[in-house]
Amino acid sequence: MTLIPWILLILAVALQLVTLPALILRKDSNAAAWRGFIPGLHFLSWLELIQRPWYWIIFLLVPGINLLLLTVMHVELGLAFGRRSLKDQWIMGALPWWGLWELRQSKDGWIGKRDWSKTRKSTVREWSEALIWATVVAGSLRMLIVEPFTIPTPSMEGSMLVGDYLIVSKTSYGPKLPRTPFTLPFVHNALPGGLTPSYTSWFSLPNLRLPGFRNVERYDAVVFSFPHGDTVYVDPNLVGHDYYALLRRDGIGRAGGDVQTFSLNPDRYMDEARAKASKNPGLRARPLDKMENYVKRCVGLPGETVSVIEGQLHINGEAVSNPEGLQMEYRVTFANQAEAKSAFRKLKLTNLDLGPVSAVPEGLAAVMALTESEVAAIRTLAAKVEPMSNAHRRGRLEMFPNVWDEEFNLWDPDNFGPVMLPKKGNTIELTERNVKLYRRWIGAYEHHNLVVLPNGQVIIDGKPETEYTFGMDGYWMMGDNRHRSADSRMWGFVPEDHIVGRATLTWFSKQNSAQHGESKIRWDRVLRPVE
């Protein structure tokens, strides 16, 4: 990390703090100049000098918008003290370090903001001001109120479709203030057309969430920062995938493709895979608010115990109702291709619902993702319909907590758990099982240094511990397309500080020919609430 940005930031703030008190006294010799010395409060004095409303401070919290607004405020500060030539405005906007110091050393008196009542603004100036304020307002709404989101994968098919354009409410759970305040507006984490970061990573703020209208509830469609996206492969085909799963796959390959051999020394093989990936295609760490955004359905709340038995979700040992539109994979056998096409057409299925197709003695077998109502309908159209088994995924370290263990090796997407979700204030014993389940939570999410000694003793932050008390809430997220969703069953808990907002409305929906068989607007889904 270079020190130059920090030096420039500290210098800019220092110049503001030493300049504003002097300027306040030039406007009013009896004013409370001390307010200009206090970081944060000095913005109020600044806005008074340029005769702008106090609520501009809110816009300073918005990434990207804050840089734009600070530039405007620097220029207007110069204007308020008579520096109105084009050269002076450029200096105050582009070189505030120079402009502020020069303004402080001068004897320019306060004359207030420019009065445009008797002068016509140029067309360029009018359009520039309109564009700036449109950017400020739209950027603030995007960060604090609502944000658009697109469904890119079929993991929520059945309720949310690929090609749905959603409105995500930030106010439902409370908008999060950004950790990376210096970023380009309207761009999440990379410049268009590539993977160049759209933000600066040298300066970050602590996590802070403003009050919301409600808590996360079961079956909410939640948008969140992907927990395993804190590092990414610098490759457009891999950047949105599970970084640790990719490393583990490469590490297993380095162990001769044998999972058990890999598990004897996972750190060695993971380090080798990481060293290779750091050279080609390259690795990049991402701050929390710049991780890829995922959307899943929240099925488990803090403190609850989650398990899946034969595909049925259980909470605290009791089966719960499934969300409407839940899909599972089935192997459907047809007598011939004509029957298969007829069923496909009658049920209005798309290419995304279809999996591998193979010839069998009975005719044609196709793997399909179907809802309960579609299963009932297709039984009258096909020779045989049987649920797909996921037993082949056991013992491959695909399932959370992704470690070799006699119990965990028996888990698959349809048979999983029990796992208790973290809840702030709850205390667990640091048994061998719990250390495996919560090690990443304690280390990566709650930022403690956890070490397990060869004798099994657990050391946290240098102290032997037998218990651990959670500092945050954790949630369990699953896709409605249960057999085609990478979710908490594979990568575990979603911490509360990763929650972005609640998907509330599908404002537009479009399908394409490659994924759905034909391209068209789905008018029946436009302006439809997300259920």
Side-chain angles (χ1 to χ4, degrees), residues 10 24 85 152 235-236 245 249 278 291 330 335 347 365 392 433 446 449 500:
I10 293 171
I24 291 170
S85 70
D235 182 317
R249 182 185 66 184
S278 64
M291 297 178 188
Y330 294 84
L347 293 181
H392 65 283
R433 182 182 192 270
E446 298 198 357
N449 181 26
V500 174

Side-chain angles (χ1 to χ4, degrees), residues 28-103:
D28 183 356
S29 59
N30 296 318
W34 58 268
R35 294 172 60 197
F37 280 116
I38 302 177
L41 185 61
H42 76 289
F43 286 121
L44 284 175
S45 299
W46 190 343
L47 292 172
E48 289 175 3
L49 285 173
I50 63 177
Q51 296 178 295
R52 294 298 184 180
W54 65 268
Y55 55 77
W56 275 29
I57 290 179
I58 297 175
F59 298 131
L60 293 175
L61 301 174
V62 183
I65 302 302
N66 47 18
L67 299 180
L68 182 63
L69 193 60
L70 279 172
T71 301
V72 171
M73 289 172 63
H74 279 113
V75 172
E76 293 209 358
L77 188 62
L79 294 175
F81 285 86
R83 302 197 163 219
R84 298 184 172 180
S85 70
L86 185 61
K87 175 185 174 183
D88 287 334
Q89 292 181 58
W90 270 101
I91 290 175
M92 290 299 295
L95 298 171
W97 306 275
W98 178 11
L100 285 173
W101 182 252
E102 194 177 61
L103 184 59

Side-chain angles (χ1 to χ4, degrees), residues 155-185:
S155 69
M156 291 293 289
E157 286 278 329
S159 56
M160 283 174 272
L161 309 182
V162 172
D164 279 355
Y165 292 78
L166 308 179
I167 292 295
V168 177
S169 168
K170 300 288 188 72
T171 58
S172 292
Y173 313 133
K176 290 198 306 178
L177 298 184
R179 287 193 172 185
T180 49
F182 300 124
T183 182
L184 290 180

Side-chain angles (χ1 to χ4, degrees), residues 514-529:
Q515 294 177 306
H516 302 95
E518 63 176 326
S519 179
K520 66 177 183 179
I521 296 175
R522 293 181 285 229
W523 292 106
D524 60 322
R525 298 187 63 80
V526 174
L527 298 180
R528 176 178 173 179

Side-chain angles (χ1 to χ4, degrees), residues 287-461:
L288 174 57
D289 57 337
K290 296 302 178 183
M291 297 178 188
E292 295 296 324
N293 285 336
Y294 274 32
V295 59
K296 304 287 181 185
R297 196 171 299 282
C298 177
V299 298
L301 301 175
E304 295 181 337
T305 297
V306 176
S307 59
V308 181
I309 302 174
E310 297 299 328
Q312 175 61 53
L313 176 67
H314 289 67
I315 301 294
N316 297 331
E318 298 290 334
V320 296
S321 58
N322 292 321
E324 187 176 350
L326 184 78
Q327 286 185 319
M328 307 284 273
E329 279 191 336
Y330 294 84
R331 187 172 185 267
V332 184
T333 304
F334 298 95
N336 51 58
Q337 190 175 22
E339 278 191 7
K341 288 184 176 180
S342 175
F344 199 78
R345 184 175 59 256
K346 287 181 179 179
L347 293 181
K348 297 181 180 180
L349 302 178
T350 70
N351 294 345
L352 290 174
D353 298 313
L354 188 63
V357 179
S358 58
V360 294
E362 298 90 339
L364 191 72
V367 176
M368 295 182 173
L370 303 170
T371 64
E372 287 187 7
S373 60
E374 289 169 342
V375 171
I378 209 167
R379 289 189 188 279
T380 65
L381 304 172
K384 185 190 300 183
V385 180
E386 50 191 344
M388 289 291 293
S389 170
N390 276 283
H392 65 283
R393 300 180 67 174
R394 298 175 183 174
R396 293 166 50 173
L397 307 187
E398 290 184 15
M399 309 305 297
F400 175 77
N402 315 113
V403 296
W404 185 267
D405 179 271
E406 184 176 349
E407 177 191 1
F408 305 147
N409 288 346
L410 297 177
W411 291 2
D412 62 44
D414 290 332
N415 295 277
F416 187 95
V419 175
M420 187 190 74
L421 274 64
K423 182 177 182 179
K424 185 176 181 179
N426 278 9
T427 299
I428 57 168
E429 291 186 22
L430 291 175
T431 62
E432 181 181 358
R433 182 182 192 270
N434 282 344
V435 168
K436 291 177 179 178
L437 286 173
Y438 304 106
R439 185 168 194 160
R440 178 167 172 79
W441 180 276
I442 296 171
Y445 303 149
E446 298 198 357
H447 311 294
H448 295 288
N449 181 26
L450 186 151
V451 177
V452 180
L453 301 180
N455 63 2
Q457 187 176 39
V458 179
I459 307 296
I460 298 180
D461 297 333

